[in-house]
């Protein structure tokens, strides 16, 4: 009996230490249940105020989580300021589409008041992304939490890990999604997130003026749409913002798939989804739902599932990383 008790006692200890060593804890819904029970209420309240005042922040805040997860995992490295001589991810070209760092700082400040040193910046990004989708009439999903914040942010990491708008969908899939454990469905579903927000002319102007060095527009762009885009984006314009889902860029819905189906997606990465049979089917099905004014139940469920999947890419959990006190800087050594 004693022997059984003893072995019963030893076994969990052995299991526990092996879990810590080779199998870090996974994210879970309600991670802050005891340590910061109102975390989601606090974030939702802040985001409700912010999005009602500045609805155009929804797109950038959704993309911030996406950029964070694609560059060395969802560890809030995207929020770190550069150090002298060491430019951070914030300084890289894709950052041009990112705004809303102030929003994250504001939310973090509220949480530091309520539960100092508890909620990671990486979790804040994931919860904020969910809330902006919900607040723009998109789906709700439970966000597993327990991410910890990374301590490294390097400009060139962003360049090498983010799918560029000018690559085609297949190339992006194999180079950027599959290595992260995301698949063809995640790609077509997550790109549907372009239903929110705007893009700089410079991200697609080669498709209007000089596609592949031909001095002609991209033939896959809707011919009637080209002159309209040209009036918005003069050649060389790096400032103007264009709605990605015109007329509905502040509402999370399936209508971006109609834009793609019509040949009006701004990015090569999105338009080339039509060249892949699986993605094309998906786009056309959702475009039909959007055209009928229907509730995009399939897309909403898929988007929620892909966001949870993306949100767990290369996360730091357990004792790895840290919980930053300020999202823009790693904690000083003594903390
Ligand atoms: C984005 O990068 C540019 C330089 O490429 C830099 O001047 C700018 O401050 C960065 N934006 C943010 C929000 O850090
Ligand atoms: C068009 O693109 C080609 C190749 O990308 C480049 O060499 C050329 O300078 C561009 N022409 C203009 C007018 O921008």
């Amino acid at each position: 009996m004693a022997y059984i008790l003893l072995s019963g006692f030893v076994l969990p200890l052995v299991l526990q230490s092996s879990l810590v060593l080779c199998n870090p804890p996974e994210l879970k819904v309600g991670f802050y249940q005891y340590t910061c029970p109102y975390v989601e209420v606090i974030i939702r309240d802040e985001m409700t105020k912010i999005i009602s005042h500045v609805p155009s922040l929804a797109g950038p805040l959704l993309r911030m989580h996406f950029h964070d997860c694609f560059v060395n995992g969802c560890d809030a490295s995207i929020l770190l300021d550069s150090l002298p001589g060491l430019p951070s991810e914030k300084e890289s070209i894709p950052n041009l589409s990112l705004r809303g760092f102030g929003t994250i700082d504001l939310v973090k400040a509220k949480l530091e008041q309520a539960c100092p040193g508890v909620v990671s910046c990486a979790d804040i990004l994931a919860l904020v992304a969910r809330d902006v989708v919900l607040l723009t009439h998109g789906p709700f999903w439970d966000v597993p939490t327990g991410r910890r914040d990374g301590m490294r942010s390097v400009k060139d990491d962003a360049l090498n890990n983010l799918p560029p708008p000018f690559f085609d969908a297949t190339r992006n899939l194999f180079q950027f999604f599959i290595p992260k454990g995301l698949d063809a469905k995640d790609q077509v579903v997550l790109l549907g997130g372009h239903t929110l927000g705007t893009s700089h002319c410079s991200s697609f102007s080669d498709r209007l003026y000089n596609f592949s060095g031909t001095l002609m527009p991209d033939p896959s762009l809707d011919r009637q749409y080209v002159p309209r885009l040209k009036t918005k984006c003069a050649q060389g314009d790096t400032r103007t913002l264009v709605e990605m889902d015109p007329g509905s860029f502040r509402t999370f819905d399936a209508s971006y798939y109609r834009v793609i189906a019509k040949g009006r997606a701004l990015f090569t990465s999105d338009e080339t989804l039509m060249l892949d049979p699986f993605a094309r089917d998906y786009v056309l099905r959702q475009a039909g739902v959007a055209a009928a004014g229907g509730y995009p139940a399939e897309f909403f469920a898929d988007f929620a599932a892909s966001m949870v999947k993306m949100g767990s890419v290369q996360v730091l959990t357990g004792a790895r990383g840290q919980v930053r006190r300020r999202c823009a800087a790693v904690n000083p050594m003594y903390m």
Side-chain angles (χ1 to χ4, degrees):
M1 190 64 184
Y3 181 78
I4 294 168
L5 266 182
L6 185 66
S7 65
F9 203 55
V10 168
L11 192 61
L13 282 182
V14 171
L15 272 181
Q16 249 180 5
S17 58
S18 70
L19 277 179
V20 170
L21 286 179
C22 17
N23 204 0
E26 289 187 354
L27 304 179
K28 64 175 184 188
V29 174
F31 178 83
Y32 297 110
Q33 189 178 3
Y34 302 112
T35 50
C36 194
Y38 295 113
V39 54
E40 298 202 19
V41 177
I42 294 169
I43 295 181
R44 180 78 47 78
D45 281 355
E46 274 317 298
M47 292 317 300
T48 305
K49 279 185 244 163
I50 290 168
I51 296 302
S52 72
H53 285 120
V54 196
S56 65
L57 275 177
L61 287 169
L62 172 58
R63 260 181 301 291
M64 202 181 284
H65 180 43
F66 183 88
H67 282 223
D68 183 35
C69 293
F70 267 77
V71 185
N72 298 326
C74 319
D75 66 349
S77 52
I78 187 77
L79 301 175
L80 288 173
D81 281 340
S82 300
L83 298 171
L86 188 65
S88 75
E89 285 168 36
K90 269 188 185 173
E91 304 291 336
S92 79
I93 293 168
N95 88 345
L96 288 170
S97 61
L98 290 182
R99 290 185 296 128
F101 292 101
T103 300
I104 303 297
D105 291 342
L106 212 89
V107 169
K108 175 66 170 171
K110 292 275 169 188
L111 290 171
E112 285 300 295
Q113 273 171 16
C115 355
V118 170
V119 182
S120 69
C121 299
D123 278 343
I124 293 174
L125 287 176
L127 291 165
V128 163
R130 189 270 314 274
D131 283 358
V132 297
V133 169
L134 183 67
L135 290 166
T136 50
H137 311 291
F140 172 89
W141 64 91
D142 284 319
V143 178
T145 45
R147 295 171 190 78
R148 309 227 336 145
D149 299 324
M151 313 201 344
R152 161 200 161 96
S153 180
V154 178
K155 177 181 173 182
D156 290 346
D157 289 352
L159 293 177
N160 301 331
N161 282 288
L162 284 169
F166 46 84
F167 272 18
D168 76 39
T170 346
R171 201 167 157 202
N172 277 334
L173 176 65
F174 288 102
Q175 198 161 331
F176 299 100
F177 284 76
I178 287 179
K180 304 251 167 342
L182 302 170
D183 59 23
K185 180 167 181 186
D186 296 314
Q187 176 174 241
V188 64
V189 166
L190 290 170
L191 286 176
H194 284 157
T195 177
L196 287 182
T198 53
S199 161
H200 282 94
C201 291
S202 46
S203 299
F204 59 88
S205 62
D206 61 321
R207 296 186 71 208
L208 301 178
Y209 294 104
N210 187 9
F211 181 66
S212 300
T214 58
L215 298 174
M216 298 290 287
D218 182 343
S220 74
L221 252 177
D222 175 5
R223 219 169 280 177
Q224 286 166 357
Y225 199 44
V226 171
R228 275 159 66 183
L229 282 177
K230 280 183 167 175
T231 60
K232 288 185 185 154
C233 299
Q235 204 161 2
D237 180 339
T238 54
R239 294 182 164 269
T240 307
L241 292 167
V242 177
E243 298 170 19
M244 292 189 279
D245 184 3
S248 161
F249 75 114
R250 289 177 181 176
T251 308
F252 191 98
D253 54 21
S255 60
Y256 185 63
Y257 291 110
R258 286 182 76 192
V259 173
I260 299 176
K262 282 197 265 183
R264 294 184 172 194
L266 299 179
F267 309 129
T268 301
S269 57
D270 300 10
E271 203 56 65
T272 49
L273 289 169
M274 295 302 276
L275 303 177
D276 172 74
F278 171 81
R280 181 189 161 85
D281 269 4
Y282 195 90
V283 169
L284 293 178
R285 193 161 64 249
Q286 300 309 327
V289 172
Y295 174 76
E298 183 192 8
F299 171 52
F300 276 18
D302 290 342
F303 192 78
S306 286
M307 285 297 284
V308 169
K309 209 167 148 188
M310 185 195 78
S312 58
V313 167
Q314 294 171 284
V315 289
L316 301 171
T317 56
R320 299 193 297 160
Q322 62 178 201
V323 172
R324 266 179 234 150
R325 291 298 183 120
R326 264 193 342 110
C327 290
V330 298
N331 294 336
M333 290 297 267
Y334 55 80
M335 281 177 108

